[in-house]
Amino acid sequence: MVVGSSTVSIFFSSTLLLLLLAVFPFGSNSEDLKACKLDSIFQFGDSLADTGNLIRENPSTPFSHLPYGQTFFNKPTGRCSNGLLMVDYFALAAGLPLVNPYLQKKASFVHGVNFAVAGSTALPLDVLAQNNITSPVTNTSLSKQLDWMHSYLNTICSNKRDDCTTKLKHALFFMGEIGGNDYNYALFEGKTVAEVKNMVPRVVQTIMDATKRVIDYGATRVIIPGHFSMGCLPIYLTGFQTNDSTAYDKFHCLKDFNGLASYHNKKLKQAIKLLRKENPNVIIAYGDYYNALFWVFQHASLLGFDETFLQKSCCGTGGDYNFNVMQICGLPRVPVCSNPDKHISWDGIHLTQKTYQIMAHRLMRDISPKFRCGSN
C-alpha cells in the first residue's frame, strides 16, 4: 500500500495534537487549581524546588551564577535550572505570584513561603553522620525547614491551632521532593544500592512525620512527591557508567538506580495511604514525579526534544553525557547549549524549564481532580 505524504502529515499532526492535549488540555489544569481558591503555597524540599535559599546561605555556590535562570529571568535567582521550576508552574496555574524563598530579606510572604534548600536532606545531619554519610552542600535538613515554618507561622497566627487553621484553610503544601539527596550522597560516597535501600523506611518516616506536623498546624491540602527516575540522569550515567548492557533499560537509564527510586516511591505511597486514614479530612495527594519524567522520555521526540541529547546535559562538559562533576554548570568556562528546550537535562542533575513545565502540567492533570475544588 502506498501512503501519500499528505496522509503521513495528517497522521503525524493528529498524533502530535493528541499528545499536546494530554500535556496541556485547554485550560483545565489552571482552571481546576483556580477553582480551589488557593491563597498560598508552602514548599519544603531540595534543589528541585529551591527558589533562592541556598544562594543566600552560600553566595559562592555555582547556582548563583549565569547561565542559571537565563531563559526566564535573565539572571540567577537560586533556581537550579535555566528558568522556572514545577512549584512556579503550580503557582501560576493557581493565579498566585511566584513563591519567595524564606531567606530573602524583606520579601512578601502573603501568598506563601518556599523553605526548600538545594542540597537538603530528609534525615538530620547527625543521623546521616552515624552512617558515615556527609551532606556537602548545606547544613539545612527537613527538620530545619520545619523550624523555619514554625517561626514564620508564629508571626501570623495568634495561637497555633485555631488561628493557623483559618489562615491555612486555602493553602497548598508541597512536602518535597525530599530524601533524594540522602540517597545521592550515600551512593556517591560509596554505599551500595542494597545499603541505601535500608535507609528508605527511615527517610519515608521522616517525611510522614513532617507532614503530620504541617497537618497539625492546619494544612488541608498536601502534595507529597516521590522521586525521579534517577537512573536516567547524566550524573548517575556518568558516575556509574558500565560496559554491561544489561544494566540499562530501553531508554539507556540505569535499572538499579531507577529500581531504588521505585522502591522509595512504593514505600512512600504505602505510608501516604495510612496517613490518609489517620486524617480523613485532609486531602493528601501523591506527586508522581517518577512517571511524569518517564513519560517525557517516552514521548521526547514528539515533545520537541532532540533524541540525540536525551541523556546529555545542556550545561556541562565532558564524557558521553556532557557532565563532569569537577566542571559543573555555573563554573567559569563551562559551556551551555544554544537551545535548552531541546534538552531534558539542564546541568546533569536538574532538568530544564521545558521539562519541568511538562511535568508540572502532567502532575496538575493527575492531582487537581483529587482536590475536589469544584464543590467549594
Side-chain angles (χ1 to χ4, degrees):
M1 181 177 69
V2 177
V3 180
S5 60
S6 61
T7 303
V8 173
S9 177
I10 291 170
F11 173 77
F12 181 82
S13 299
S14 300
T15 302
L16 180 58
L17 178 60
L18 289 171
L19 185 62
L20 291 174
L21 285 173
V23 184
F24 309 112
F26 291 118
S28 64
N29 296 327
S30 59
E31 292 306 315
D32 285 348
L33 272 187
K34 285 179 180 176
C36 293
K37 298 183 174 65
L38 298 174
D39 58 17
S40 55
I41 294 176
F42 295 90
Q43 172 77 61
F44 299 85
D46 54 26
S47 56
L48 303 186
D50 185 357
T51 56
N53 285 314
L54 180 66
I55 65 168
R56 290 172 171 84
E57 280 190 354
N58 178 15
S60 65
T61 176
F63 306 139
S64 65
H65 305 293
L66 285 169
Y68 286 96
Q70 69 173 21
T71 300
F72 187 85
F73 302 97
N74 202 32
K75 64 178 182 179
T77 64
R79 289 168 173 81
C80 298
S81 184
N82 59 309
L84 298 174
L85 308 178
M86 283 185 281
V87 62
D88 296 318
Y89 285 109
F90 269 82
L92 293 172
L96 298 174
L98 303 185
V99 186
N100 288 320
Y102 177 75
L103 296 181
Q104 182 178 342
K105 294 180 179 179
K106 299 181 180 180
S108 171
F109 299 132
V110 173
H111 296 291
V113 188
N114 191 325
F115 302 108
V117 181
S120 277
T121 57
L123 298 177
L125 270 60
D126 60 332
V127 174
L128 292 173
Q130 291 169 13
N131 292 283
N132 297 314
I133 301 167
T134 61
S135 176
V137 179
T138 178
N139 291 326
T140 300
S141 65
L142 181 56
S143 62
K144 187 171 183 179
Q145 294 180 31
L146 289 165
D147 289 342
W148 287 348
M149 179 196 70
H150 175 80
S151 298
Y152 169 72
L153 292 180
N154 279 343
T155 68
I156 67 168
C157 303
S158 58
N159 63 70
K160 176 182 167 184
R161 170 63 66 178
D162 298 333
D163 195 34
C164 272
T165 297
T166 300
K167 284 186 166 65
L168 299 177
K169 183 179 180 181
H170 295 291
L172 173 60
F173 283 78
F174 274 93
M175 303 307 297
E177 182 272 345
I178 192 75
N181 286 323
D182 301 62
Y183 308 144
N184 293 337
Y185 299 151
L187 290 164
F188 281 95
E189 290 172 19
K191 302 289 186 185
T192 66
V193 171
E195 287 174 319
V196 174
K197 273 189 174 181
N198 291 331
M199 297 170 59
V200 170
R202 192 163 188 177
V203 169
V204 169
Q205 187 57 53
T206 301
I207 297 168
M208 292 302 104
D209 291 343
T211 307
K212 290 175 184 176
R213 188 167 169 185
V214 302
I215 290 173
D216 189 50
Y217 275 106
T220 60
R221 291 188 180 92
V222 182
I223 297 174
I224 306 178
H227 286 169
F228 282 169
S229 37
M230 57 206 288
C232 300
L233 301 177
I235 185 174
Y236 275 91
L237 292 165
T238 299
F240 298 95
Q241 191 168 8
T242 174
N243 291 326
D244 180 7
S245 61
T246 64
Y248 299 90
D249 65 16
K250 64 180 180 179
F251 297 107
H252 197 71
C253 301
L254 287 162
K255 292 188 284 189
D256 281 353
F257 298 103
N258 279 357
L260 173 61
S262 294
Y263 179 72
H264 168 93
N265 294 340
K266 177 183 176 181
K267 294 298 182 183
L268 187 68
K269 286 185 280 188
Q270 290 172 350
I272 290 172
K273 188 175 180 180
L274 291 175
L275 194 61
R276 287 178 182 142
K277 289 182 179 179
E278 296 170 3
N279 299 275
N281 295 321
V282 179
I283 298 172
I284 306 170
Y286 171 69
D288 194 353
Y289 284 13
Y290 186 101
N291 283 311
L293 178 56
F294 224 73
W295 189 88
V296 174
F297 276 100
Q298 288 174 313
H299 302 92
S301 181
L302 286 172
L303 291 167
F305 295 102
D306 189 325
E307 290 195 331
T308 62
F309 297 152
L310 290 192
Q311 311 288 0
K312 295 186 178 183
S313 307
C314 167
C315 181
T317 186
D320 293 338
Y321 307 102
N322 210 33
F323 180 82
N324 182 340
V325 73
M326 302 305 295
Q327 293 178 285
I328 61 174
C329 185
L331 292 180
R333 295 179 294 282
V334 173
V336 60
C337 68
S338 60
N339 188 357
D341 284 352
K342 293 292 184 180
H343 287 254
I344 292 175
S345 174
W346 165 243
D347 60 4
I349 307 168
H350 311 99
L351 309 177
T352 58
Q353 172 180 271
K354 178 179 175 179
T355 308
Y356 283 136
Q357 181 184 24
I358 295 169
M359 290 178 63
H361 282 272
R362 291 285 299 177
L363 290 163
M364 286 181 229
R365 186 168 174 255
D366 176 52
I367 291 171
S368 294
K370 296 171 185 174
F371 285 166
R372 302 189 296 274
C373 296
S375 58
N376 286 359

